[in-house]
Structures are given as C-alpha cells and as structure tokens.
Amino acid sequence: NQPGLRGPLKDEVEKDLSTSALFVAGIGQLFQKYKIEGYEKPYAELQRHLTQYDQFVRGCHMGLFPSYYEPWGYTPLECIARGIPAVTSNLAGFGNYVLNEFPDCDKSGLTVIGRKDRPDDLAAGELAQKMFEFTRLTLRDRISMRYRAQGMAEHFDWRQLARHYTEAHQLAMQR
C-alpha cells in the first residue's frame, strides 16, 4: 500500500495538482468537472489573492525567516520557488534538511543561520552579516542568485520528496 490519495481518480487528481503553477487552475478545473455549485466567486477571489501574493513575493529582494522554531519552513521555500533568495535557521526543519542535503546552499541563494545551541546575539550578527553581504552584490550577481535559488527549489518538488514519505510509511508498516 502506498500512502496518499486512493481510488479511481488518484492519478488524475495528482497529475492536476502536481505543480504549484497549475495548482489554482487545477482546483478550478476540478470544481467545473464535478459541477461544484457556487464556486465561481470564491474561486475568483482565491485567484486574485494568490496573484497578489505571488507578485508581492517576487517584488522582494530577499526573504528573511530566521525563526526560533518552525516545523518545516514553507516561507523560505516559497521564496526560492519564485527566485527570491531566502534566509532560514537551523532550528527549522527545512533549514536542517537543507544543511544535510546541500551544504553549499548559501551559493544557491538559501542561507541557513546557525541558531541551535548558540546565543541569540551571535545568530543576529550572522544574519546582519549575510544581509550586508547581499547589499554589496551587483545587480548582475543578484539576478544570477535569483536563477540559482529558483533552480534549487526544484529539489523540493513533491515528486522529489515523496520518496522520503514512502520510505517512512514502509518503515512504520514494518514495525
């Protein structure tokens, strides 16, 4: 048994919702296909808000999320998926995963600030230093970093990460 969606529409739904770019359009198509009444106005509002959010994030120079604790860390991931360099901390699950899998992540526009077992003033100093270094980049270097950040985001596509969930599920079933 595989975790996830089950039933006759499993493949179709997963295909429709497999990429974030098609996610909202996929929701609308499913509403239409299954004749969900009254969805038009809330769906239009959802599209408007998500478009504004996407434009807001893309308009930023850098996302700063040096959280004290965050189980995974979707906000830095949302940034790099849109080509915005981001900062997270090693107290976030996402930050820990990135450090383990991509030790040179800083070169790709994702900085992980060391906060674990460290005084706050040292972490704040590291954050300030990274922000200062970013302000010293040329326009060309910032544009290049945006492309590298967006490229790094591809490693976090569900199709890449699903294997971890499958392995964990299989391990749990064996126990």
Side-chain angles (χ1 to χ4, degrees):
N1 272 340
Q2 293 284 332
L5 295 170
R6 291 185 174 81
L9 301 174
K10 174 188 183 303
D11 292 338
E12 183 179 343
V13 171
E14 286 182 346
K15 185 182 122 249
D16 287 344
L17 303 179
S18 65
T19 63
S20 61
L22 299 174
F23 184 74
V24 176
I27 291 171
Q29 291 168 1
L30 289 172
F31 285 161
Q32 288 174 352
K33 182 175 182 174
Y34 297 106
K35 298 174 179 34
I36 307 296
E37 292 185 29
Y39 81 91
E40 293 87 356
K41 187 175 179 182
Y43 177 68
E45 192 70 12
L46 173 66
Q47 286 179 306
R48 187 176 68 77
H49 286 297
L50 289 176
T51 300
Q52 290 172 346
Y53 177 73
D54 187 60
Q55 290 170 352
F56 167 76
V57 173
R58 285 191 178 272
C60 295
H61 291 283
M62 177 181 261
L64 301 172
F65 311 100
S67 303
Y68 183 74
Y69 173 74
E70 200 169 343
W72 176 242
Y74 287 107
T75 45
L77 183 52
E78 288 175 346
C79 282
I80 65 170
R82 289 169 175 84
I84 306 302
V87 176
T88 186
S89 83
N90 64 351
L91 292 177
F94 180 66
N96 275 325
Y97 180 81
V98 167
L99 285 177
N100 288 329
E101 298 294 318
F102 309 97
D104 293 334
C105 59
D106 205 35
K107 295 176 184 172
S108 296
L110 184 60
T111 299
V112 181
I113 300 295
R115 295 203 56 196
K116 191 180 292 182
D117 301 322
R118 236 175 129 196
D120 288 343
D121 60 330
L122 290 179
E126 183 181 355
L127 176 61
Q129 180 64 39
K130 293 297 181 182
M131 290 170 57
F132 178 72
E133 289 169 7
F134 184 81
T135 66
R136 307 302 297 167
L137 294 174
T138 66
L139 176 61
R140 182 180 298 253
D141 289 339
R142 287 195 313 271
I143 291 170
S144 177
M145 184 177 281
R146 281 182 163 231
Y147 283 113
R148 289 192 310 271
Q150 196 165 16
M152 183 179 203
E154 293 176 15
H155 295 286
F156 302 101
D157 185 290
W158 177 248
R159 290 167 286 194
Q160 303 294 328
L161 296 178
R163 65 182 167 87
H164 298 295
Y165 289 93
T166 301
E167 291 168 7
H169 181 261
Q170 289 171 347
L171 182 62
M173 294 306 289
Q174 289 172 1
R175 292 183 180 180

Short mmCIF file of all heavy atoms in Angstrom, two decimals, residues 68 91 114-115 118-126:
data_model
loop_
_atom_site.label_atom_id
_atom_site.label_comp_id
_atom_site.label_asym_id
_atom_site.label_seq_id
_atom_site.Cartn_x
_atom_site.Cartn_y
_atom_site.Cartn_z
N TYR A 68 12.69 31.06 15.42
CA TYR A 68 13.16 30.31 16.57
C TYR A 68 12.80 28.85 16.41
O TYR A 68 13.56 27.96 16.71
CB TYR A 68 12.56 30.87 17.86
CG TYR A 68 13.09 30.16 19.08
CD1 TYR A 68 14.38 30.41 19.53
CD2 TYR A 68 12.33 29.22 19.74
CE1 TYR A 68 14.90 29.74 20.61
CE2 TYR A 68 12.83 28.55 20.83
CZ TYR A 68 14.11 28.80 21.27
OH TYR A 68 14.61 28.13 22.34
N LEU A 91 17.04 25.88 13.28
CA LEU A 91 16.01 25.44 14.21
C LEU A 91 14.74 25.03 13.46
O LEU A 91 13.84 24.45 14.05
CB LEU A 91 15.67 26.54 15.24
CG LEU A 91 16.78 26.85 16.23
CD1 LEU A 91 16.36 27.99 17.15
CD2 LEU A 91 17.14 25.63 17.06
N GLY A 114 22.87 29.75 11.83
CA GLY A 114 23.06 28.85 12.98
C GLY A 114 22.45 29.44 14.24
O GLY A 114 22.96 30.43 14.76
N ARG A 115 21.37 28.84 14.71
CA ARG A 115 20.74 29.30 15.95
C ARG A 115 20.74 28.22 17.02
O ARG A 115 20.54 28.53 18.19
CB ARG A 115 19.29 29.73 15.66
CG ARG A 115 19.24 30.94 14.74
CD ARG A 115 17.98 31.71 14.86
NE ARG A 115 17.74 32.14 16.22
CZ ARG A 115 16.56 32.56 16.65
NH1 ARG A 115 15.54 32.62 15.84
NH2 ARG A 115 16.41 32.94 17.89
N ARG A 118 23.25 28.24 20.34
CA ARG A 118 24.05 29.45 20.12
C ARG A 118 23.35 30.65 20.72
O ARG A 118 22.13 30.76 20.62
CB ARG A 118 24.14 29.67 18.61
CG ARG A 118 25.52 29.76 18.10
CD ARG A 118 25.49 29.86 16.61
NE ARG A 118 26.32 30.98 16.24
CZ ARG A 118 26.31 31.56 15.09
NH1 ARG A 118 25.49 31.17 14.15
NH2 ARG A 118 27.10 32.55 14.84
N PRO A 119 24.07 31.57 21.31
CA PRO A 119 23.43 32.79 21.83
C PRO A 119 22.76 33.59 20.70
O PRO A 119 23.27 33.62 19.56
CB PRO A 119 24.58 33.59 22.44
CG PRO A 119 25.70 32.61 22.64
CD PRO A 119 25.51 31.55 21.60
N ASP A 120 21.65 34.21 21.01
CA ASP A 120 20.89 34.97 20.02
C ASP A 120 21.73 36.07 19.37
O ASP A 120 21.58 36.35 18.19
CB ASP A 120 19.64 35.59 20.64
CG ASP A 120 18.57 34.54 20.95
OD1 ASP A 120 18.65 33.42 20.39
OD2 ASP A 120 17.66 34.85 21.73
N ASP A 121 22.61 36.71 20.16
CA ASP A 121 23.38 37.82 19.59
C ASP A 121 24.35 37.34 18.49
O ASP A 121 24.60 38.05 17.52
CB ASP A 121 24.11 38.63 20.67
CG ASP A 121 25.10 37.81 21.47
OD1 ASP A 121 24.89 36.59 21.65
OD2 ASP A 121 26.10 38.40 21.94
N LEU A 122 24.86 36.12 18.61
CA LEU A 122 25.73 35.59 17.56
C LEU A 122 24.92 35.29 16.29
O LEU A 122 25.37 35.56 15.17
CB LEU A 122 26.45 34.33 18.02
CG LEU A 122 27.54 34.52 19.08
CD1 LEU A 122 28.15 33.18 19.47
CD2 LEU A 122 28.62 35.46 18.57
N ALA A 123 23.73 34.72 16.48
CA ALA A 123 22.87 34.44 15.32
C ALA A 123 22.44 35.75 14.66
O ALA A 123 22.43 35.87 13.43
CB ALA A 123 21.65 33.64 15.75
N ALA A 124 22.12 36.76 15.47
CA ALA A 124 21.73 38.07 14.91
C ALA A 124 22.90 38.70 14.16
O ALA A 124 22.71 39.30 13.10
CB ALA A 124 21.25 39.00 16.03
N GLY A 125 24.09 38.54 14.68
CA GLY A 125 25.28 39.06 13.99
C GLY A 125 25.51 38.35 12.66
O GLY A 125 25.84 39.00 11.66
N GLU A 126 25.29 37.03 12.64
CA GLU A 126 25.45 36.28 11.38
C GLU A 126 24.39 36.74 10.37
O GLU A 126 24.70 36.93 9.19
CB GLU A 126 25.30 34.78 11.65
CG GLU A 126 25.51 33.93 10.42
CD GLU A 126 25.33 32.44 10.68
OE1 GLU A 126 25.13 32.01 11.84
OE2 GLU A 126 25.37 31.69 9.68
#
